[in-house]
Amino acid sequence: MGLTKTIARPRAAAASVQAPAALPLDQILIADCIAAMRALPARSVDMVFADPPYNLQLGGELFRPDGSHVDAVTDEWDKFDTFAAYDAFTRAWLAEAHRILKDDGTIWVIGSYHNIFRVGTAVQDLGYWILNDIVWRKANPMPNFRGTRFTNAHETLIWASKHEKAKYTFNYRSMKTLNDELQMRSDWEFPICGGPERLKKDGTKVHPTQKPEALLYRILLACTKPGDVVLDPFFGTGTTGAVAKRLGRRWIGIERETGYVAAARERIAAALPLDESALATMQSPRQQPRVSFGTLVENGYLTPGAVLTDAKRRFRVTVRADGSLLADGGETGSIHKLGATLQEAPACNGWTFWHHEAGGKLHPIDTLRQTWLLATQP
Amino acid sequence: MGLTKTIARPRAAAASVQAPAALPLDQILIADCIAAMRALPARSVDMVFADPPYNLQLGGELFRPDGSHVDAVTDEWDKFDTFAAYDAFTRAWLAEAHRILKDDGTIWVIGSYHNIFRVGTAVQDLGYWILNDIVWRKANPMPNFRGTRFTNAHETLIWASKHEKAKYTFNYRSMKTLNDELQMRSDWEFPICGGPERLKKDGTKVHPTQKPEALLYRILLACTKPGDVVLDPFFGTGTTGAVAKRLGRRWIGIERETGYVAAARERIAAALPLDESALATMQSPRQQPRVSFGTLVENGYLTPGAVLTDAKRRFRVTVRADGSLLADGGETGSIHKLGATLQEAPACNGWTFWHHEAGGKLHPIDTLRQTWLLATQP
DNA sequence: GTTCAATCTGAATCGCCTT
DNA sequence: GAAGGCGATTCAGATTGAA
């Protein structure tokens, strides 16, 4: 399990009545996305990943704000009407997604400059709280053949929680590990989907905008836990489902085109779940059992009377029997509190601030905690 | 100068009546931006560059892990009560900009995820035609100190013409030359503004959000011709004016805060017009990109569950989903950290230490990285 | 003068738990 | 709900100061 900032809350009684067991897990619903979403229970999925249509004509289909179909699409739609129709459609499915998401769930939406500004505005207007926008830098974008603009070499993703104060999942430590011990940034580079990964039929691509699995891999690894449920209302050829299965997550897909559905089913059936030990990811300290400094003193890892200093030996304190510290100036407190007090800092992590001497060297007392954890954890 | 796609049109008779000679060229108008824009004639400038307030909506105080305080943007000019208020402000100045622009002029607006979606929606609704969105990747962004999100490492710019069919200026050849004979892409990397370029007074920054000159340099070089007029309605400390002067463009700035105006005047007075031969030296060398081990896992170069060993097969580890390694003894870590831990060494280059077996032979995983680079680099 | 180490800082929507 | 304790959390580049 990766670090998660959330701890599962007991499901509200009202939600239980909705019979979450009835969720169509690991299935594709062949239906219009808004209609199918309406049939799903409130507060039931952990993440929504959406790759909505980018084009403003919606492939000839338009929706009213209530989600119903607009039958007649004429060529005379002026720009305002076209944007208005796209906005209505966007707000309709985003509102359903908001209802279906658990309170601590998050949503991801991908788009290009044609639609992402409208999506982002709708996301904010519907009460979602944007956490990041992410740039997918394409390693091998299509050049601008006519030389009239900059090569359009990226797409944009929006990551948002349901509410400002939500305790969303973010596997910080996993992301940092994945990026060679540097914080994962908001700009990601992947090749576009091609090669054996690209689904083809009779030599032509099955779907015009198939997304690379690497993109979904990073998203699901970063923001879900094993067993979490991911809903993709624009399932296409099932990249979300294939990666979810590989990573031990549950998925629900909605897709109207039966051609895509058939390709997605075949693809997901062939996907192999990762072995459980491979699925394990870097843990955050917060996932480890808590160890108080007093425990170490009680168990003889440090003796009352032992001397601690900071790394530069500017401050010197003595360990007392109850795990509190005594400074030379008479101040006392916990390892954290006294570290903060002496430095006149607002806060301090005593585990890494205080050191003890052994073998002529200074070691942070956190190494004692790690030793204790190794000795006592199964 | 680079090739330009436009040929100047004869000025319309009506516009001549507006006496364009009265444009306050190379001056700062000390005024509210919308009021000052109302006083400018229609169809009179070639470009608008705008760096409007981002409406950050920051919470409480933020401290770095070392306890130091983060100097946030707390200025009154960035505060708006609601999205509706911000939208109204945005649409008002964007509408004035549309009026003031020549028919073949273009507009640039910069923002972050806090405001850019609302700006982009307004741009489209007002009839502008988006040509590109550009990502400014910051070489040295501020980290996410609490480990709660991805490092916010970029800002977004929107480039738009006044109308869909406009014959805007794009110096394609200049951009290609500037980018080592490859088409300029939509993702640009620059450091944030610092060092001697950052304006300071009494040791503190004059403006909280001063933009790097390199950014304006590329924009003006790409999308204006010498002698063109650039309007910046949020002039701040005058980056636009300084770069315009350097590149032989005319400029008009609007700024309300007299402190910023004074700094901008002094700065622009000191700016020297650039000799054209100096342009070649402004090119930044292409640097070999960093590749994380996680990238290789995400892209299938190594599968989670794969086994790695050192060259002498003394240590044996398994690759996990996030690019971390799991040793037989239960220890985990990145390729570098775990290599160091197992050898009890202070540090280790995991790329050359760990090997995978292929064709009965051991190969350092660095060869996979090289393969990846060959496959993804132009 | 030169080099290296320590310090400072940048458009940031930056906890969680118990009492 | 508010308050307070615990303890987790940073990267690149410029500047300063010591050696």
Side-chain angles (χ1 to χ4, degrees), chain A residues 312-332:
Chain A
K312 296 176 192 166
R313 301 182 195 264
R314 288 179 301 187
F315 305 109
R316 188 176 174 282
V317 295
T318 309
V319 176
R320 300 200 292 185
D322 62 355
S324 66
L325 303 183
L326 169 66
D328 288 353
E331 306 93 331
T332 60

Side-chain angles (χ1 to χ4, degrees), chain B residues 64 113 142 146 149 198 205 208:
Chain B
R64 298 186 177 80
Y113 68 84
M142 180 158 4
R146 303 300 295 265
R149 303 180 178 192
R198 186 87 193 203
K205 54 193 176 191

Side-chain angles (χ1 to χ4, degrees), chain A residues 261-284:
Chain A
V261 171
R265 283 194 175 133
E266 187 179 349
R267 173 190 191 180
I268 295 168
L272 294 178
L274 288 177
D275 184 84
E276 200 173 315
S277 65
L279 211 52
T281 54
M282 292 307 289
Q283 285 203 344
S284 135

Side-chain angles (χ1 to χ4, degrees), chain A residues 15-136:
Chain A
S16 298
V17 175
Q18 296 268 6
L23 272 183
L25 291 178
D26 307 330
Q27 294 174 37
I28 307 176
L29 309 176
I30 307 179
D32 168 79
C33 88
I34 295 171
M37 289 172 91
R38 288 223 170 100
L40 293 174
R43 297 188 179 81
S44 59
V45 308
D46 300 282
M47 177 187 281
V48 172
F49 175 87
D51 181 10
Y54 291 9
N55 62 315
L56 300 175
Q57 296 298 328
L58 300 176
E61 308 264 353
L62 288 174
F63 297 86
R64 299 192 182 87
D66 66 359
S68 62
H69 259 250
V70 175
D71 287 324
V73 178
T74 68
D75 298 331
E76 289 91 46
W77 286 83
D78 67 17
K79 248 180 252 138
F80 177 81
D81 283 344
T82 302
F83 282 134
Y86 188 78
D87 291 346
F89 166 72
T90 300
R91 280 157 202 265
W93 73 258
L94 278 173
E96 281 305 311
H98 197 273
R99 184 185 62 80
I100 295 168
L101 271 176
K102 292 183 187 172
D103 285 341
D104 290 340
T106 60
I107 187 169
W108 284 80
V109 191
I110 183 169
S112 67
Y113 69 83
H114 304 90
N115 71 323
I116 198 66
F117 303 116
R118 314 204 77 84
V119 169
T121 299
V123 162
Q124 289 179 314
D125 287 346
L126 287 168
Y128 290 100
W129 191 247
I130 297 183
L131 299 165
N132 278 116
D133 62 335
I134 298 289
V135 173
W136 166 28

Side-chain angles (χ1 to χ4, degrees), chain A residues 34-363:
Chain A
I34 295 171
M37 289 172 91
R38 288 223 170 100
L40 293 174
R43 297 188 179 81
S44 59
V45 308
D46 300 282
M47 177 187 281
V48 172
F49 175 87
D51 181 10
Y54 291 9
N55 62 315
L56 300 175
Q57 296 298 328
L58 300 176
E61 308 264 353
L62 288 174
F63 297 86
R64 299 192 182 87
D66 66 359
S68 62
H69 259 250
V70 175
D71 287 324
V73 178
T74 68
D75 298 331
E76 289 91 46
W77 286 83
D78 67 17
K79 248 180 252 138
F80 177 81
D81 283 344
T82 302
F83 282 134
Y86 188 78
D87 291 346
F89 166 72
T90 300
R91 280 157 202 265
W93 73 258
L94 278 173
E96 281 305 311
H98 197 273
R99 184 185 62 80
I100 295 168
L101 271 176
K102 292 183 187 172
D103 285 341
D104 290 340
T106 60
I107 187 169
W108 284 80
V109 191
I110 183 169
S112 67
Y113 69 83
H114 304 90
N115 71 323
I116 198 66
F117 303 116
R118 314 204 77 84
V119 169
T121 299
V123 162
Q124 289 179 314
D125 287 346
L126 287 168
Y128 290 100
W129 191 247
I130 297 183
L131 299 165
N132 278 116
D133 62 335
I134 298 289
V135 173
W136 166 28
R137 305 176 56 218
K138 301 180 184 184
N140 46 350
M142 174 109 59
N144 181 287
F145 294 115
R146 299 183 57 189
T148 55
R149 303 180 183 192
F150 299 97
T151 303
N152 191 11
H154 74 276
E155 294 189 23
T156 302
L157 299 104
I158 295 171
W159 177 40
S161 62
K162 213 174 146 169
H163 302 289
E164 180 179 353
K165 303 296 183 191
K167 300 187 203 313
Y168 55 89
T169 295
F170 179 56
N171 300 313
Y172 174 74
R173 203 64 196 73
S174 284
M175 286 299 104
K176 188 167 175 177
T177 306
L178 193 63
N179 194 36
D180 255 5
E181 295 299 322
L182 289 178
Q183 283 191 340
M184 188 69 80
R185 298 169 36 119
S186 57
D187 52 335
W188 303 353
E189 178 168 332
F190 299 109
I192 59 177
C193 183
E197 185 186 327
R198 185 85 194 211
L199 298 183
K200 300 207 172 170
K201 188 172 183 181
D202 306 329
T204 61
K205 51 194 178 193
V206 175
H207 193 284
T209 66
Q210 185 181 337
K211 295 292 176 289
E213 296 197 1
L215 186 66
L216 271 295
Y217 186 101
R218 185 173 294 179
I219 289 171
L220 294 184
L221 198 61
C223 307
T224 61
K225 304 184 287 289
D228 275 2
V229 178
V230 183
L231 167 68
D232 185 337
F234 307 96
F235 202 58
T237 49
T239 306
T240 303
V243 177
K245 181 178 175 188
R246 234 185 340 135
L247 288 176
R249 273 67 168 169
R250 314 301 296 268
W251 55 273
I252 303 170
I254 304 175
E255 177 54 51
R256 201 170 42 188
E257 309 272 338
T258 52
Y260 297 159
V261 171
R265 283 194 175 133
E266 187 179 349
R267 173 190 191 180
I268 295 168
L272 294 178
L274 288 177
D275 184 84
E276 200 173 315
S277 65
L279 211 52
T281 54
M282 292 307 289
Q283 285 203 344
S284 135
R286 193 167 281 282
Q287 291 304 106
Q288 297 172 353
R290 244 156 97 142
V291 179
S292 75
F293 183 65
T295 302
L296 302 183
V297 177
E298 283 174 337
N299 287 277
Y301 282 67
L302 278 172
T303 317
V307 169
L308 304 180
T309 70
D310 64 304
K312 296 176 192 166
R313 301 182 195 264
R314 288 179 301 187
F315 305 109
R316 188 176 174 282
V317 295
T318 309
V319 176
R320 300 200 292 185
D322 62 355
S324 66
L325 303 183
L326 169 66
D328 288 353
E331 306 93 331
T332 60
S334 71
I335 55 173
H336 312 296
K337 198 85 178 177
L338 190 56
T341 303
L342 293 177
Q343 293 182 94
E344 300 179 31
C348 169
N349 181 348
W351 291 109
T352 52
F353 180 71
W354 293 113
H355 294 60
H356 70 109
E357 192 165 337
K361 283 185 181 176
L362 286 181
H363 306 274

Side-chain angles (χ1 to χ4, degrees), chain B residues 77-369:
Chain B
W77 50 252
D78 196 48
K79 295 195 194 322
F80 294 83
D81 289 335
T82 60
F83 280 136
Y86 186 79
D87 291 345
F89 167 74
T90 299
R91 281 159 199 265
W93 73 258
L94 277 173
E96 281 305 312
H98 197 272
R99 185 185 62 81
I100 295 168
L101 271 176
K102 292 182 186 172
D103 285 342
D104 290 340
T106 60
I107 187 170
W108 284 80
V109 192
I110 184 168
S112 66
Y113 68 84
H114 309 86
N115 72 320
I116 199 65
F117 303 117
R118 316 202 76 84
V119 169
T121 298
V123 162
Q124 291 179 314
D125 287 347
L126 288 168
Y128 290 100
W129 189 251
I130 298 183
L131 299 166
N132 277 115
D133 61 335
I134 298 289
V135 173
W136 166 28
R137 307 175 54 220
K138 301 182 183 184
N140 48 349
M142 180 158 4
N144 182 286
F145 298 116
R146 303 300 295 265
T148 55
R149 303 180 178 192
F150 299 98
T151 305
N152 189 9
H154 74 275
E155 295 190 22
T156 302
L157 298 105
I158 294 172
W159 178 40
S161 61
K162 210 172 150 172
H163 301 290
E164 180 179 354
K165 304 294 186 191
K167 298 192 192 338
Y168 54 89
T169 295
F170 179 57
N171 301 312
Y172 174 74
R173 198 57 238 162
S174 290
M175 286 299 102
K176 192 165 176 184
T177 303
L178 193 62
N179 194 37
D180 261 2
E181 290 305 316
L182 291 176
Q183 284 191 343
M184 187 68 81
R185 296 166 42 115
S186 56
D187 51 334
W188 302 352
E189 177 169 333
F190 298 110
I192 58 178
C193 183
E197 186 187 327
R198 186 87 193 203
L199 298 183
K200 301 210 171 167
K201 188 171 183 182
D202 307 327
T204 59
K205 54 193 176 191
V206 175
H207 194 285
T209 70
Q210 186 182 339
K211 295 295 178 288
E213 295 196 1
L215 187 66
L216 270 294
Y217 187 99
R218 185 173 294 181
I219 289 170
L220 294 184
L221 198 60
C223 307
T224 61
K225 302 183 289 292
D228 275 2
V229 178
V230 183
L231 168 68
D232 185 336
F234 306 95
F235 202 58
T237 48
T239 306
T240 303
V243 177
K245 181 178 176 188
R246 259 213 290 160
L247 288 175
R249 274 69 168 165
R250 314 300 296 268
W251 56 271
I252 302 169
I254 304 174
E255 176 54 51
R256 198 172 41 189
E257 311 266 340
T258 52
Y260 299 158
V261 171
R265 284 194 174 132
E266 187 178 351
R267 172 189 191 181
I268 296 169
L272 292 178
L274 200 58
D275 187 272
E276 215 168 294
S277 63
L279 296 197
T281 65
M282 303 300 294
Q283 299 180 15
S284 59
R286 293 174 66 75
Q287 38 197 347
Q288 174 119 327
R290 252 185 102 256
V291 179
S292 75
F293 182 66
T295 298
L296 303 182
V297 178
E298 284 177 329
N299 287 280
Y301 282 63
L302 279 172
T303 315
V307 170
L308 305 180
T309 70
D310 62 305
K312 297 178 187 164
R313 300 182 195 264
R314 288 177 304 182
F315 306 109
R316 188 176 173 282
V317 295
T318 310
V319 176
R320 300 199 297 179
D322 62 352
S324 65
L325 302 181
L326 169 67
D328 289 351
E331 305 92 332
T332 60
S334 68
I335 55 171
H336 311 297
K337 278 199 169 170
L338 189 56
T341 303
L342 294 177
Q343 297 180 90
E344 300 181 27
C348 167
N349 181 349
W351 290 109
T352 53
F353 180 71
W354 294 112
H355 293 60
H356 70 109
E357 193 164 334
K361 283 186 180 175
L362 287 182
H363 306 273
I365 56 177
D366 193 48
T367 60
L368 297 175
R369 177 167 64 159

